[in-house]
Amino acid sequence: MPADWLLIGPRGSRRLRGLQQALRERGPGAAEELHYEGLLDDPGLAFEAIARRPHALVKIESPGEAPRLHAALIERGWRRLGEPAPRPRELERGELAYQHYWFAGFRDLLDALPAQANYLNPPDDIAGMSDKLACQQRLRAHDVATAPLLGRIDGYAHLRELMREHACAQVFVKARYGSSGAGVLAYRCNRQGGEALYGSAELVETGLPGETAVRVFNSLRPRRYGDSRRIALLIDAVAAQEAYAERWIAKPRAPDGGTGHYDIRTIALDGRTRHRIARIGRGPLTNLHLGNRRAELDDWLDADAMRTLDTATERAATAFAGSRMIGFDLILRDGRAWILEANAFGDLLLNLQWQGLSTYQDQAGMAATHPAHPPRRIAEPAHV
């Protein structure tokens, strides 16, 4: 029997709307919603809702696509860290800044939720997947093949030093707390001193000559940078919000007769691979919102390759065994698979079906409890 649901997310979220529609079509009917905007002021609302519905399956949704919420989480994170840094300024639309404060604020909000409830993905797992460096380290600790890590970087000069140490000429620089390709930079250099950097980040220089200020904006149009000075400014700006570098693994060429290379997004539900889609890009970034193509994998992969894909996904899911829905990005090539990222909110894949079901319809039919775990008792915290 489908589970009763309780949804936590931003007010007006299209993710909430998508799952609500699936619950009306296939599940027990519309779910109760709690919105982050209210929980920021009164975390006790979550305890009250879960106490009213102790057997509900609680899904915590992405806090993205809500600019005011994003700003509130940045402010909350700045206060939590208690740093002497100036108060965060108001960001312009699409600006990438203060991501370390954002994560601290989101983590603080997750920590304020009930520790024990029937979560689809537990708050601690969500935080662990939202910290992409910690996530990669956790996957590696579970013997999951990932892109080799060079480690955390504090700027352009540090990145070049690490690349020399690892004899590496091509890397991906990734914002530690970014999402949807935000702050992801593909960088390469050669022995002749040539450099190139690709990404969806737009570098904007402001200020008077000699007093340059740098701001970074997410863009739907990927860019290429070839000027060493601007490359250094951009990497420094991303690293200031915490970033890391990993070796650039070449993606396979798409075998559909078109141009471009591809990676794969899979969705694991209860530890089993369900939805799979190829993401094809002409450049290094394959995120679908950047205008890249997608394709079904059934005509591309033979049975052995599909088993390799599913085995890699399901092995990676064991690193977050308490989570029932995880999206994975991976590269499959030459009989091997590398997990690039795990995403606690990876199910926003419109018009993608598995056995006739969308990602949300698939979840709407889930049982109330994780098949690997018994129901958990709901505990009231001392401060409520």
Side-chain angles (χ1 to χ4, degrees):
M1 181 176 179
D4 180 30
W5 289 70
L6 173 65
L7 308 183
I8 299 176
R11 185 175 288 109
S13 165
R14 62 173 172 162
R15 295 171 181 269
L16 294 181
R17 292 197 302 270
L19 184 52
Q20 289 281 32
Q21 180 178 344
L23 289 170
R24 287 190 292 267
E25 293 171 349
R26 190 168 188 260
E32 180 179 356
E33 291 187 10
L34 290 176
H35 299 133
Y36 286 127
E37 292 84 351
L39 293 176
L40 283 169
D41 297 325
D42 186 3
L45 294 172
F47 290 90
E48 295 169 4
I50 291 172
R52 288 194 306 270
R53 306 169 71 174
H55 300 294
L57 185 52
V58 183
K59 185 178 186 185
I60 302 170
E61 269 294 3
S62 169
E65 300 181 341
R68 290 184 180 179
L69 174 60
H70 188 81
L73 291 174
I74 289 173
E75 177 82 12
R76 187 183 181 111
W78 175 69
R79 293 183 182 280
R80 170 172 172 158
L81 294 177
E83 295 184 358
R87 185 174 188 152
R89 60 175 171 77
E90 184 176 348
L91 300 183
E92 295 184 28
R93 183 177 180 83
E95 186 172 2
L96 182 68
Y98 307 129
Q99 286 296 90
H100 51 316
Y101 290 157
W102 171 87
F103 176 76
F106 184 44
R107 177 80 216 219
D108 195 51
L109 183 57
L110 291 173
D111 288 346
L113 296 174
Q116 298 187 52
N118 192 23
Y119 289 111
L120 184 77
N121 289 352
D124 195 56
D125 275 10
I126 291 174
M129 284 183 263
S130 298
D131 180 341
K132 294 198 290 189
L133 176 56
C135 178
Q136 289 297 79
Q137 293 167 332
R138 182 165 172 173
L139 290 168
R140 290 165 66 87
H142 282 76
D143 295 322
V144 175
T146 66
L149 284 169
L150 277 66
R152 182 174 170 176
I153 64 169
D154 58 24
Y156 171 79
H158 186 209
L159 172 65
R160 292 299 299 262
E161 179 183 340
L162 285 176
M163 292 176 70
R164 286 190 293 269
E165 289 178 5
H166 289 264
C168 180
Q170 297 187 126
V171 297
F172 270 87
V173 174
K174 295 187 174 182
R176 182 169 181 173
Y177 310 117
S179 62
S180 301
V184 176
L185 308 171
Y187 173 72
R188 57 164 55 111
C189 58
N190 59 39
R191 293 179 180 178
Q192 291 72 42
E195 299 177 81
L197 183 145
Y198 309 83
S200 59
E202 179 184 1
L203 179 70
V204 176
E205 299 181 61
T206 62
L208 299 173
E211 300 179 356
T212 301
V214 172
R215 301 173 81 169
V216 180
F217 293 84
N218 290 318
S219 172
L220 295 178
R221 183 175 65 85
R223 286 167 164 76
R224 180 188 185 280
Y225 296 85
D227 177 75
S228 295
R229 184 188 70 86
R230 287 175 62 79
I231 288 173
L233 287 174
L234 185 49
I235 292 175
D236 285 348
V238 172
Q241 304 169 60
E242 298 194 33
Y244 66 99
E246 64 185 27
R247 191 177 292 272
W248 182 335
I249 298 177
K251 297 179 175 69
R253 183 172 295 280
D256 62 354
T259 58
H261 297 75
Y262 75 99
D263 63 9
I264 299 170
R265 164 66 61 87
T266 62
I267 303 294
L269 292 186
D270 286 335
R272 295 290 179 263
T273 312
R274 311 279 271 214
H275 301 261
R276 312 165 182 86
I277 194 73
R279 310 183 306 177
I280 311 161
R282 293 189 176 186
L285 273 62
T286 58
N287 302 76
L288 295 176
H289 75 284
L290 298 178
N292 293 313
R293 297 186 294 125
R294 63 195 225 169
E296 300 290 343
L297 288 164
D298 292 344
D299 296 332
W300 290 11
L301 304 183
D302 60 22
D304 287 342
M306 194 67 81
R307 277 193 294 271
T308 300
L309 174 65
D310 292 349
T311 298
T313 298
E314 291 165 14
R315 184 178 188 86
T318 65
F320 296 92
S323 289
R324 303 184 62 184
M325 188 290 296
I326 310 175
F328 292 103
D329 297 338
L330 54 88
I331 291 174
L332 181 68
R333 198 191 71 220
D334 302 329
R336 296 186 60 191
W338 294 265
I339 299 293
L340 302 177
E341 292 186 14
N343 189 335
F345 311 120
D347 55 352
L348 184 62
L349 293 171
L350 304 178
N351 303 316
L352 173 65
Q353 293 192 338
W354 177 82
Q355 295 188 356
L357 300 174
S358 71
T359 56
Y360 292 133
Q361 290 170 333
D362 206 3
Q363 291 171 70
M366 294 175 73
T369 58
H370 195 306
H373 302 289
R376 287 167 286 186
R377 181 178 60 85
I378 306 303
E380 290 287 346
H383 65 274
V384 174

